[in-house]
Amino acid sequence: MALDFLGRGLKFPFRFQRRSGGAQISSDTSTEHEHIHESIIQILGTRPGERFMRPEFGSRLKDLVFEPNDEVLKGLIRHYVIEAVKRWEKRVVITGVSFDDSPSNKDSNLLPVRIAYRVIQSQVEGNLVYPFYREPRQSAPPRQFRSVAGK
């Protein structure tokens, strides 16, 4: 089934051309589900305020990079993903957001986010995994108190 109505656009992330090695943007294009995946990844990977002339574009996922890996973090990620995709990707509806809770991911800084969606016009289901990276919590160095002589 051809899904031409999903559109065509420049591939994301942008790449440099191999021959020149310079900063020339590739003119490769993506179509159908690949285009939707790239769009969702672009939305989730952009902080509000990063885009010139479109300051509200993006999601607040990067605000959560220092949060502990617990159920609160997962609830906030679920909320921010649904909110951002609903606002910026009008071709799809999110049908589910889940997480890979395997023991290898439990204590690491990577939290794979499984996003299931349905294309509105064709009712075709799709999914992708967004890698959410947390920063390790930095503990503050212990304070050193010095006694001041004479006071």
Side-chain angles (χ1 to χ4, degrees):
M1 177 178 181
L3 301 173
D4 294 336
F5 61 89
L6 294 179
R8 175 181 296 233
L10 288 175
K11 278 183 136 336
F12 182 81
F14 303 120
R15 296 188 175 100
F16 298 105
Q17 291 188 358
R18 291 184 182 173
R19 283 188 170 176
S20 67
Q24 297 174 354
I25 296 174
S26 170
S27 61
D28 290 344
T29 58
S30 60
T31 57
E32 300 179 358
H33 281 285
E34 181 184 11
H35 190 51
I36 288 177
H37 288 191
E38 292 169 356
S39 174
I40 291 173
I41 288 172
Q42 192 172 19
I43 291 166
L44 298 179
T46 305
R47 291 178 191 209
E50 280 186 9
R51 280 253 174 123
F52 184 67
M53 302 293 286
R54 208 167 194 186
E56 296 177 0
F57 180 83
S59 73
R60 297 179 56 196
L61 284 182
K62 302 247 174 144
D63 294 347
L64 304 173
V65 296
F66 295 109
E67 297 298 321
N69 189 2
D70 58 8
E71 294 304 316
V72 174
L73 174 68
K74 293 173 186 170
L76 287 171
I77 289 173
R78 183 176 293 116
H79 173 73
Y80 289 159
V81 165
I82 292 171
E83 175 185 60
V85 172
K86 183 177 180 181
R87 180 167 185 192
W88 297 108
E89 182 52 78
K90 301 293 185 188
R91 296 174 289 183
V92 300
V93 172
I94 297 292
T95 57
V97 177
S98 61
F99 305 94
D100 184 1
D101 287 331
S102 63
S104 63
N105 293 328
K106 191 71 177 173
D107 293 328
S108 71
N109 294 323
L110 172 65
L111 181 61
V113 181
R114 294 184 189 138
I115 301 169
Y117 64 87
R118 180 180 321 118
V119 179
I120 293 173
Q121 193 163 354
S122 67
Q123 300 297 313
V124 174
E125 301 280 337
N127 61 60
L128 68 105
V129 176
Y130 180 78
F132 178 76
Y133 290 98
R134 297 176 33 243
E135 293 289 326
R137 185 173 290 266
Q138 302 282 331
S139 61
R143 290 183 139 186
Q144 296 181 358
F145 295 100
R146 284 187 262 165
S147 62
V148 179
K151 289 191 176 183

